[in-house]
Amino acid sequence: MSVLEVQHVTGGYTRKPVIKELSFTIGKGELVGLIGLNGAGKSTTIKHIIGTMLPKEGDIRLNGITLKENMDKYRTAFSYIPETPVLYDELTLREHLQLTAMAYNLDEATLAARSEILLKEFRMEKRLNWFPAHFSKGMRQKVMIMCAFLVNPSLYIIDEPFVGLDPLGIQSLLDQMDEKKKEGASILMSTHILSTAEKHCDRIILLHEGRVRAQGTMTDLRTAFGMPNATLDDLYIAMTKEQDNE
Amino acid sequence: MNNLRDVWSSRFMHYIGEVQKYMQFIFTGHIAIVLVFLIGAGGYQYSEWLKVVSTDFPAQTIVAVVIGIILALSRPTTLLREPDQVYLLPLESKMPQYFKKALAWTFWSQVWLVGIVYIISIPLLKAVTTLTISEIWAIFFLIVVLKYLSVQGEFSYRYSSRGHLIWGDRFIRAIIFGLAVYMGLQAQLMLAFALTVIACAYVFVFRKKCAGEPVPYEHFVNLEQNRMMSFYRFANYFTDVPHLRGSIRRRGWLDWLYKSVPYAKGNAQKYLVFRTFVRTDDHFYLWVRLTAISAVIVAFVDIPVVTWIIAAALSFATTIQLKQALLSGGDFRMDMLYPQPEDARKKAVQQIVRLSMIVQAIIVGLCGIMQPMFFVTIFVIIIVSELTTKMTKS
């Protein structure tokens, strides 16, 4: 059974929908890349999945249930890393981790064990008592990443994760993602760094003007576009050109 | 090219709109009444004092010092904004046009203050000195000219030195202007004129230094931000200013308080809201301010009914403002995604507000311990707070 099922979802801010008839699924242990130009509807799609926007039509199921059916269960099933880090100015790094652990019902021993590993991996052990005001953009991003991985959910939703991270941070994130995948977690990642997406994603969803233009493995996409040997960059550019000509 | 003039005009309209918006709140509030009373009382005292003032009162010196200081404080209003450092760069050579407009506004928005102070001092000067009416108005004219020089001077100094050691510059200007006004008040108009020429030369030196210097955007933008911030902070006493993000302080000495919220799933929101309350200056000082006022009144007013009414009013004000402040926040926060009941935050806010109001009640009660029936105050505060929490919408 797939972890995330998006079925015929239409939605947006005003009457004019931003995403139209969107359908895709993510299976267990799958890393799926959500790719599209600025304004293609990536962030809106993500907002619908995390439940800050509700679909006008269609259904979003996480482990078989919708947000309306069981809000607690739905929300426990995913963690989210937003494009721009959203931190509490009044909480230290340690308190961010504690708050997250409390909210997701982790016991203190689990919190201690998991956060020790994460703090080491992202080289933030020495900053436990710092407030966000003293963090750089990359460090803020790391706080978000650590909070997300602390929870150990079945689905990770990661929006534009590489911007602002240093090369070591990017590597740590990719390692963590890999590890969670092996443990059976699924990941939906939206990004513009196409080479990384091509290298790490099991499947790609190409979003254009609110619709799924194409989806599948790199081989599927190459076949769909009739470009054998093409990189994801080539396919992406081909897609936008094709749309321009229409 | 009209471009930069348009930029200035649109900024200016926006700025005036912003100031007007908050001024409404400030002057429709209680401060307007307080001001009217203060001005009335001050005016009356002043006129009474003029009747008895002795002729050896050093009016000239005092007026010259005060006017000199006010003249020297001529912070330019440039209305520059952060993005200008990038977008206006190609127009660097056209910027004098923009600054000309900005300095004209700076002059007109500041000259009235020094003008009013001088006009208020005229009755005193008439009473104490032998100056003729035409001399007094000549000095008024001199002050206006000096203000113009001061605005130009401070701008040029800041432009050429990026604001470094601005107080030194202000001190020198205050002395030259003060001396010029003093000479004027001694009816030494030639000496006053000579000092004005010196002021001109001083300003001219820095004007020269600006030539070829790039526009110090960073300094001017900083200055603008500080000015708007202090305006917003002031306005925030009367109304809620949305762009004002409260500053955060650790207040480590209150860390022991958090022990009352132990590590447990249901406590996530309480954990968060408690820290938000204690560490956000706006929330914390709101509580401190109102508690202090209530405590002082209860300690010194010995009519029980009056203290109860005041304690009740302040309990209402503290509760409703704290509740709204802690519940607000239209922006996205991570706790909106937490797998927790929808009303978790509301409940947490209620509990924290209740706790803070019990503490307020105890402090105020203890301050009134010398008064008869001081314990009633404690109940009044708690009951009013509970009713306020229950009856106001979230």
Side-chain angles (χ1 to χ4, degrees):
Chain A
M1 195 179 85
S2 36
V3 173
L4 177 74
E5 284 173 80
V6 177
Q7 291 161 340
H8 309 291
V9 169
T10 299
Y13 295 91
T14 46
R15 291 201 174 168
K16 200 166 175 274
V18 178
I19 48 176
K20 297 149 202 158
E21 278 286 308
L22 208 63
S23 293
F24 62 89
T25 59
I26 298 179
K28 197 166 155 54
E30 234 186 347
L31 168 51
V32 175
L34 188 62
I35 312 286
L37 295 176
N38 298 326
K42 298 187 300 289
S43 293
T44 311
T45 306
I46 288 177
K47 279 178 187 160
H48 278 85
I49 299 172
I50 65 173
T52 52
M53 288 175 85
L54 294 173
K56 292 204 167 63
E57 278 165 52
D59 250 355
I60 300 174
R61 290 184 179 276
L62 194 47
N63 291 331
I65 53 158
T66 64
L67 181 73
K68 274 189 185 153
E69 285 164 11
N70 188 338
M71 194 178 277
D72 270 15
K73 212 167 159 197
Y74 186 97
R75 287 192 171 158
T76 316
F78 73 88
S79 64
Y80 167 54
I81 303 174
E83 186 181 357
T84 338
V86 190
L87 298 175
Y88 297 101
D89 289 336
E90 66 272 27
L91 297 190
T92 61
L93 167 56
R94 185 197 306 277
E95 288 166 339
H96 274 92
L97 294 171
Q98 269 179 5
L99 177 68
T100 311
M102 275 161 89
Y104 288 85
N105 208 13
L106 306 185
D107 58 50
E108 282 185 89
T110 319
L111 163 66
R114 286 188 194 161
S115 53
E116 195 195 325
I117 298 168
L118 286 167
L119 286 163
K120 206 164 170 207
E121 173 77 55
F122 288 96
R123 289 164 301 280
M124 297 282 278
E125 310 102 304
K126 290 189 185 119
R127 304 201 159 80
L128 270 169
N129 291 321
W130 287 30
F131 282 94
H134 303 119
F135 286 149
S136 68
K137 162 108 204 278
M139 288 181 197
R140 295 169 74 92
Q141 188 75 332
K142 284 180 181 175
V143 180
M144 300 295 322
I145 294 171
M146 288 189 291
C147 287
F149 281 96
L150 189 67
V151 177
N152 235 355
S154 33
L155 174 68
Y156 291 87
I157 300 161
I158 312 182
D159 198 355
E160 231 16 292
F162 304 119
V163 181
L165 281 183
D166 58 36
L168 287 179
I170 293 178
Q171 197 48 51
S172 300
L173 175 61
L174 289 169
D175 290 348
Q176 281 291 319
M177 282 166 41
D178 229 33
E179 201 172 297
K180 296 297 167 188
K181 251 182 68 175
K182 279 186 197 134
E183 291 169 14
S186 316
I187 302 166
L188 174 65
M189 175 176 83
S190 119
T191 180
H192 280 129
I193 318 274
L194 299 183
S195 51
T196 317
E198 179 176 351
K199 205 163 133 197
H200 295 271
C201 292
D202 303 311
R203 273 195 307 127
I204 305 277
I205 298 169
L206 283 177
L207 213 58
H208 195 73
E209 291 175 349
R211 290 176 199 278
V212 176
R213 170 65 186 80
Q215 59 174 315
T217 59
M218 276 307 289
T219 327
D220 295 340
L221 293 180
R222 286 187 186 115
T223 322
F225 282 88
M227 299 165 73
N229 308 325
T231 62
L232 186 54
D233 285 270
D234 300 334
L235 295 174
Y236 191 83
I237 291 162
M239 173 184 82
T240 53
K241 278 196 181 140
E242 189 178 278
Q243 299 280 339
D244 285 346
N245 293 337
E246 274 172 10
Chain B
M1 155 156 186
N2 287 326
N3 224 336
L4 278 174
R5 276 195 206 121
D6 294 347
V7 171
W8 167 262
S9 324
S10 70
R11 296 248 165 119
F12 183 65
M13 293 318 287
H14 176 79
Y15 167 70
I16 290 294
E18 196 75 358
V19 171
Q20 260 176 1
K21 193 164 88 193
Y22 290 107
M23 279 308 201
Q24 275 175 4
F25 289 109
I26 294 173
F27 284 105
T28 50
H30 46 278
I31 193 164
I33 304 160
V34 175
L35 274 180
V36 169
F37 273 102
L38 276 180
I39 293 171
Y44 178 73
Q45 289 284 331
Y46 181 52
S47 64
E48 287 300 299
W49 175 70
L50 281 181
K51 287 179 194 160
V52 295
V53 65
S54 77
T55 42
D56 54 2
F57 181 78
Q60 288 106 318
T61 315
I62 291 175
V63 172
V65 168
V66 172
I67 300 277
I69 291 172
I70 300 177
L71 279 174
L73 300 175
S74 300
R75 181 158 71 170
T77 306
T78 58
L79 303 186
L80 286 178
R81 286 196 276 188
E82 223 166 349
D84 296 344
Q85 305 180 40
V86 179
Y87 292 100
L88 294 187
L89 268 189
L91 299 173
E92 182 99 24
S93 61
K94 305 245 165 55
M95 282 310 278
Q97 260 184 23
Y98 180 93
F99 288 128
K100 212 171 152 187
K101 286 256 174 199
L103 290 184
W105 164 247
T106 308
F107 172 73
W108 289 112
S109 65
Q110 293 179 2
V111 72
W112 61 269
L113 176 67
V114 68
I116 286 178
V117 171
Y118 180 67
I119 288 170
I120 290 174
S121 74
I122 290 178
L124 173 66
L125 293 173
K126 274 190 181 162
V128 177
T129 66
T130 52
L131 288 168
T132 62
I133 286 291
S134 49
E135 278 167 339
I136 285 176
W137 287 107
I139 297 162
F140 182 80
F141 178 71
L142 170 75
I143 289 172
V144 173
V145 171
L146 289 177
K147 183 66 197 180
Y148 177 79
L149 284 175
S150 186
V151 168
Q152 298 293 327
E154 177 150 346
F155 173 76
S156 301
Y157 182 86
R158 285 182 184 275
Y159 194 110
S160 58
S161 70
R162 275 143 220 270
H164 187 57
L165 294 179
I166 182 67
W167 285 100
D169 162 63
R170 281 176 164 175
F171 182 69
I172 295 171
R173 268 183 295 121
I175 287 185
I176 303 177
F177 297 154
L179 275 176
V181 174
Y182 183 75
M183 289 306 162
L185 293 171
Q186 297 289 350
Q188 301 282 344
L189 291 185
M190 281 316 286
L191 276 175
F193 181 73
L195 279 156
T196 310
V197 172
I198 293 176
C200 277
Y202 179 78
V203 169
F204 188 73
V205 168
F206 288 104
R207 174 59 70 89
K208 270 269 162 195
K209 268 179 120 177
C210 295
E213 283 280 324
V215 177
Y217 281 108
E218 211 165 302
H219 173 65
F220 284 139
V221 168
N222 247 329
L223 216 55
E224 285 306 296
Q225 285 173 345
N226 289 345
R227 192 164 48 80
M228 283 324 272
M229 265 329 260
S230 39
F231 175 66
Y232 287 137
R233 282 231 176 83
F234 177 67
N236 202 39
Y237 286 117
F238 308 95
T239 176
D240 193 36
V241 181
H243 355 223
L244 204 62
R245 269 283 173 87
S247 47
I248 300 293
R249 243 171 277 257
R250 164 99 212 216
R251 278 187 261 284
W253 53 278
L254 285 174
D255 276 356
W256 57 272
L257 277 175
Y258 308 135
K259 289 203 183 100
S260 62
V261 184
Y263 186 96
K265 180 184 181 186
N267 280 349
Q269 283 290 359
K270 255 196 273 175
Y271 181 98
L272 173 60
V273 175
F274 206 176
R275 284 164 176 76
T276 307
F277 167 58
V278 172
R279 292 181 182 165
T280 309
D281 279 358
D282 279 352
H283 308 342
F284 187 70
Y285 287 134
L286 170 85
W287 180 86
V288 170
R289 229 172 20 236
L290 293 177
T291 306
I293 295 174
S294 187
V296 168
I297 290 172
V298 168
F300 293 104
V301 175
D302 45 13
I303 311 165
V305 179
V306 173
T307 60
W308 299 338
I309 292 172
I310 290 171
L314 289 168
S315 165
F316 169 76
T318 320
T319 309
I320 196 160
Q321 291 190 64
L322 262 190
K323 186 180 162 189
Q324 273 162 7
L326 289 172
L327 276 177
S328 73
D331 296 345
F332 173 73
R333 300 184 318 264
M334 284 312 275
D335 60 280
M336 292 173 175
L337 300 182
Y338 291 163
Q340 297 218 315
E342 285 287 277
D343 61 349
R345 186 168 181 96
K346 206 178 115 191
K347 279 195 176 146
V349 169
Q350 263 176 20
Q351 286 182 6
I352 302 299
V353 170
R354 176 175 297 143
L355 184 71
S356 72
M357 292 313 293
I358 291 174
V359 176
Q360 179 179 78
I362 293 172
I363 292 175
V364 174
L366 287 178
C367 287
I369 208 154
M370 305 302 284
Q371 311 281 8
M373 291 196 284
F374 70 95
F375 51 88
V376 179
T377 319
I378 300 180
F379 293 115
V380 166
I381 292 176
I382 293 173
I383 291 167
V384 168
S385 166
E386 286 298 313
L387 286 177
T388 311
T389 314
K390 294 259 152 51
M391 320 240 312
T392 48
K393 63 179 170 61
S394 333

